Amino acid sequence: EMDALHLTDFGGSDFDVDQFVVHAIGQLGANGESDAASADASSFDPDAILGALLVTKIEVGKLRVDADTRLSAGVHRVDTLLDRHTRGVQSLRQDTDQVLRTVQDLQGTVGTMGAKAVTMGRQLDKIDQQRRRACDA
């Protein structure tokens, strides 16, 4: 019987399809032999090879389902994180715009208050000049 297959069996950079097939066929053997190369032509059993290929096909199907499930979960996670990030950026942008408007309002208020302070200062200077003239007279 073939060893169980895992997704990691196919993920390495050293994975070779030809070696995998030879190994899979070699594991089933011919008429109970452990190495297909050791079987002679008269003992060749195509049913055993077909059975092994069917088992391999089933295992690959399971791997495909597992990979699809993991991919779907990964895509969902990425979508969730992207949505959260987008909402965070939008919120930050709104907060930044509000702060900018508040700063601009504050600048306008400070400018108005500054102009009033200058006007009051000039009026106080005039009153002070008038008071000095009155005291000197």
Side-chain angles (χ1 to χ4, degrees):
E1 184 169 312
M2 281 193 57
D3 295 335
L5 298 175
H6 303 283
L7 190 57
T8 55
D9 295 339
F10 302 94
S13 61
D14 59 342
F15 176 73
D16 182 19
V17 174
D18 294 335
Q19 287 179 350
F20 173 75
V21 171
V22 168
H23 177 71
I25 292 173
Q27 277 191 342
L28 79 92
N31 291 335
E33 304 234 0
S34 63
D35 186 358
S38 68
D40 62 9
S42 64
S43 65
F44 177 73
D45 184 7
D47 290 335
I49 293 175
L50 290 175
L53 290 175
L54 179 61
V55 168
T56 302
K57 178 182 175 188
I58 292 169
E59 289 292 324
V60 168
K62 290 177 185 176
L63 290 172
R64 178 176 286 138
V65 168
D66 182 48
D68 288 344
T69 301
R70 289 181 184 196
L71 178 63
S72 294
V75 166
H76 177 71
R77 179 76 175 139
V78 166
D79 288 344
T80 300
L81 291 174
L82 180 62
D83 183 54
R84 185 184 309 163
H85 174 72
T86 300
R87 282 186 277 127
V89 168
Q90 288 172 345
S91 175
L92 183 60
R93 182 174 292 146
Q94 289 171 352
D95 292 348
T96 302
D97 290 344
Q98 179 61 37
V99 167
L100 182 60
R101 284 191 297 273
T102 302
V103 167
Q104 289 171 340
D105 291 347
L106 184 59
Q107 284 177 334
T109 302
V110 167
T112 301
M113 296 300 288
K116 287 181 181 180
V118 168
T119 301
M120 289 174 75
R122 288 182 183 154
Q123 290 174 348
L124 286 173
D125 281 343
K126 285 182 185 178
I127 292 172
D128 187 50
Q129 286 175 358
Q130 290 173 356
R131 183 189 59 82
R132 285 186 194 165
R133 286 184 193 149
C135 284
D136 289 340

